[in-house]
Amino acid sequence: MSESEKYKIPFINSCIRSMAKRYGYSAKNVFLYLKHFHGIEFLIDFYDTLHLQSIDDTVDDMVLICQKNGGELT
């Protein structure tokens, strides 16, 4: 396992929990939303860039990606 791989899961978990807190959803529901609308894929594919910015900026980016893929937050 590479050094960056070691930190991907905690990073993704942190992003999910931050988004859940921001929008008042459970972490499970946020995970399912992100999985369905390609937010998890986005986090994995762009980890090398995303982990260098703030979690708030990453959550903003995830929301935009999901919205572009049909995911509306209510």
Side-chain angles (χ1 to χ4, degrees), residues 3-73:
E3 195 65 24
S4 68
E5 292 288 320
K6 181 169 121 177
Y7 297 106
K8 272 187 186 178
I9 292 174
F11 171 75
I12 292 168
N13 186 44
S14 180
C15 292
I16 290 169
R17 292 188 178 282
S18 293
M19 186 170 170
K21 185 176 179 182
R22 180 189 293 186
Y23 290 99
Y25 294 119
S26 70
K28 178 182 177 180
N29 285 341
V30 168
F31 170 77
L32 293 172
Y33 169 83
L34 292 172
K35 184 176 177 191
H36 184 62
F37 295 108
H38 307 286
I40 297 294
E41 184 179 330
F42 169 73
L43 289 174
I44 292 168
D45 290 347
F46 296 99
Y47 169 78
D48 290 339
T49 302
L50 295 172
H51 84 280
L52 299 174
Q53 65 186 26
S54 73
I55 293 291
D56 286 334
D57 287 345
T58 300
V59 170
D60 292 342
D61 291 345
M62 288 188 315
V63 170
L64 289 173
I65 291 296
C66 291
Q67 287 175 337
K68 287 181 181 181
N69 288 304
E72 292 297 322
L73 291 170

